[in-house]
Amino acid sequence: MMINIAIVDDDEEYLQEIQSIIKKFCYKKNILCNVNAFTCAQLLLYEIDEQKNYDIYFLDIEMSEVNGLELAKKIRKQDRISYIIFITSYIKYSLNAFDYNAYQYIMKSQIKQKLWYTLESIWKRMEEDKREYYTIITQNRYGKILFKDIFYIFKQQKYVIFKTRNNDVTLRDTLKNVYANLDSTEFIYIDKGYIVNIFHIMRLEHNIIFLRNGEELKVSRTYRDSVKEKIHQHWKWK
């Protein structure tokens, strides 16, 4: 699994220190990671506008133009499941940080002591997420698809297609059977032929769902009210 990480800090010295600790952690844990460092928050915003998302964000709070809290607010409008860690020299922002469902708040004076343990904690949670999966068993195949890797599932004639992070997986089955076997509240019907992973829904506009992978799906009139309610309940508790 590749972990995508973004660091935003207008102080290059701290930026390099954070990047160095992250890379050392990933190397020691044998984790594939892609780390992008930004000295300007606007550069990250351009990527977000283009539907590029990261698994983990390290954000400095006090920056010129766009500060870390404003940046987190924009991130959360599109992405409610990523980890946001605020890094700052000022403790006065600690209460504000958790308004954006921040995972951690680290003082810059404590980076060396706390950043490694924060990464350990996040990685442990990511590993626990791997325990939730859909099992495919046929005469010729046995496999598992992690729930968090499934964007959506749709029917195509006599087959069901799993749209995942890595590829499309085809299974000869009914959508009804697949939904029953998922046995998870994170999957919702948006149409009689489509099931979507609610964790990958970035936003809902009118009757169009915008997904984390950049795709857009239409919500049928029959399911519109229930989809709105389930999304609202999910975001309420995130």
Side-chain angles (χ1 to χ4, degrees):
M1 178 176 70
M2 172 71 76
I3 299 177
N4 292 305
I5 302 171
I7 313 168
V8 187
D9 197 322
D10 55 6
D11 187 322
E12 290 197 28
E13 183 178 344
Y14 280 111
L15 193 70
Q16 291 175 10
E17 182 177 10
I18 295 166
Q19 189 172 22
S20 175
I21 293 172
I22 292 171
K23 287 186 175 180
K24 286 177 181 177
F25 175 84
C26 291
Y27 178 79
K28 184 174 181 179
K29 299 290 184 179
N30 197 27
I31 301 169
L32 292 175
C33 68
N34 173 49
V35 184
N36 287 347
F38 304 87
T39 54
C40 173
Q42 190 61 52
L43 295 176
L44 176 59
L45 285 175
Y46 290 145
E47 292 200 353
I48 292 172
D49 288 341
E50 294 175 357
Q51 302 298 316
K52 180 169 183 180
N53 298 287
Y54 291 85
D55 300 297
I56 307 172
Y57 295 88
F58 290 92
L59 309 178
D60 182 22
I61 291 183
E62 286 214 335
M63 296 184 289
S64 59
E65 297 182 8
V66 181
N67 66 45
L69 296 175
E70 293 170 338
L71 185 55
K73 185 176 181 179
K74 292 180 183 294
I75 290 170
R76 282 292 179 241
K77 282 184 178 179
Q78 294 195 114
D79 187 347
R80 292 179 174 267
I81 65 172
S82 60
Y83 295 91
I84 293 179
I85 297 92
F86 287 109
I87 297 179
T88 182
S89 299
Y90 304 94
I91 198 168
K92 63 182 180 181
Y93 296 112
S94 59
L95 292 178
N96 303 87
F98 294 99
D99 289 339
Y100 307 103
N101 193 23
Y103 184 75
Q104 188 59 273
Y105 182 96
I106 301 175
M107 296 292 293
K108 285 189 173 181
S109 59
Q110 299 177 318
I111 284 177
K112 290 182 180 178
Q113 296 93 330
K114 287 195 171 183
L115 183 54
W116 189 279
Y117 294 107
T118 299
L119 290 167
E120 287 267 17
S121 178
I122 291 173
W123 179 243
K124 182 179 179 181
R125 289 186 63 169
M126 287 182 165
E127 286 289 283
E128 289 173 351
D129 288 343
K130 288 182 180 179
R131 297 175 187 174
E132 296 185 311
Y133 53 81
Y134 187 89
T135 303
I136 294 177
I137 303 175
T138 68
Q139 283 186 326
N140 303 314
R141 181 178 183 181
Y142 177 85
K144 297 177 180 179
I145 308 174
L146 298 179
F147 282 180
K148 71 184 189 65
D149 285 344
I150 302 171
F151 290 113
Y152 62 92
I153 308 162
F154 65 99
K155 68 177 182 180
Q156 191 174 78
Q157 297 177 348
K158 296 181 179 180
Y159 297 90
V160 171
I161 314 296
F162 290 76
K163 197 77 173 181
T164 77
R165 285 177 183 265
N166 304 311
N167 50 27
D168 292 352
V169 178
T170 303
L171 177 67
R172 190 182 176 100
D173 204 343
T174 66
L175 203 59
K176 182 179 180 180
N177 285 341
V178 169
Y179 183 72
N181 290 331
L182 283 167
D183 191 26
S184 172
T185 57
E186 67 192 74
F187 291 94
I188 62 173
Y189 271 100
I190 65 165
D191 179 88
K192 65 180 181 179
Y194 280 81
I195 297 170
V196 171
N197 187 337
I198 202 167
F199 282 103
H200 291 304
I201 297 176
M202 299 294 102
R203 66 184 190 277
L204 171 64
E205 292 183 8
H206 304 297
N207 63 336
I208 302 296
I209 277 178
F210 295 80
L211 295 176
R212 189 179 178 87
N213 66 344
E215 290 191 57
E216 302 172 13
L217 298 177
K218 186 176 180 179
V219 180
S220 72
R221 184 178 298 178
T222 304
Y223 291 91
R224 185 170 54 193
D225 290 341
S226 65
V227 167
K228 285 182 179 179
E229 177 61 24
K230 287 174 182 176
I231 291 175
H232 173 74
Q233 289 299 321
H234 174 72
W235 287 354
K236 179 180 178 181
W237 297 110
K238 287 300 288 178

